[in-house]
Amino acid sequence: MTSDDTRAARTEAVRALEAEFGELINRFRRIITENANRVSPGMLPGAYKVFTTIVRREGITLSGLAESLMSDKGQISRTVRELEQLGLVQRTPDPDDGRSSLLSPTPFGLERLAEARAPQESLLVDALDEWPVDDILNLTRLLHALTLGERPAT
């Protein structure tokens, strides 16, 4: 096989992977939109993403949140205020920096999120039911490497 054949085969494989990622992203967008509406009717997917990031990275600052989401700090600030008004998140003083606050979910917010996720909770578990655990772990390892832009560890 020549290097041209190898390059063409690699390009075709990457295009197929891109198409599958596109389908997967569309599926997750639907799930996120549905979950957002279950947390609070009319909640936009972007607000849901901010909320779930606060849940996952409890004790994050507004600046850290904006950086993590690669978003405008002003927009994130407005979204956090909306989440506070809904009773989903709270601010507490940052013990390391008195000018800053730490964001965390409220018990009510965690309850709403659990209720929103419940209908879809086993979706991925069910989808992977026939997969060997080693295949699931390998896919996880490969996706992690892709996310980091690194060569997968062997």
Side-chain angles (χ1 to χ4, degrees):
M1 187 184 304
T2 68
S3 63
D4 288 340
D5 291 338
T6 302
R7 182 70 177 180
R10 181 173 296 278
T11 299
E12 188 61 31
V14 169
R15 286 179 182 159
L17 178 63
E18 180 184 12
E20 290 304 319
F21 273 133
E23 292 300 317
L24 187 61
I25 288 167
N26 287 338
R27 187 171 184 183
F28 276 114
R29 279 185 181 147
R30 282 192 300 276
I31 290 168
I32 287 169
T33 299
E34 291 168 5
N35 285 357
N37 276 308
R38 283 192 290 269
V39 168
S40 180
M43 177 183 274
L44 296 174
Y48 180 80
K49 179 67 176 167
V50 170
F51 177 49
T52 57
T53 302
I54 292 169
V55 169
R56 195 174 62 256
R57 301 203 40 213
E58 185 171 352
I60 192 170
T61 64
L62 191 61
S63 295
L65 184 60
E67 183 179 319
S68 174
L69 295 172
M70 294 183 284
S71 294
D72 174 68
K73 190 175 175 182
Q75 178 60 44
I76 295 294
S77 180
R78 288 186 291 278
T79 302
V80 167
R81 274 195 305 275
E82 292 171 15
L83 295 171
E84 283 180 298
Q85 291 169 351
L86 292 170
L88 302 172
V89 300
Q90 61 191 1
R91 295 176 198 245
T92 55
D94 184 342
D96 298 326
D97 181 357
R99 301 166 294 162
S100 189
S101 296
L102 301 177
L103 302 169
S104 61
T106 63
F108 173 72
L110 293 173
E111 179 183 316
R112 295 298 306 141
L113 183 58
E115 289 172 8
R117 287 177 167 167
Q120 308 263 343
E121 194 103 276
S122 65
L123 183 67
L124 193 54
V125 172
D126 292 345
L128 298 173
D129 190 50
E130 299 293 319
W131 288 40
V133 171
D134 285 345
D135 286 351
I136 297 169
L137 294 172
N138 192 40
L139 177 60
T140 302
R141 179 182 63 81
L142 293 170
L143 287 173
H144 181 72
L146 181 61
T147 299
L148 296 177
E150 296 176 353
R151 183 184 175 122
T154 54

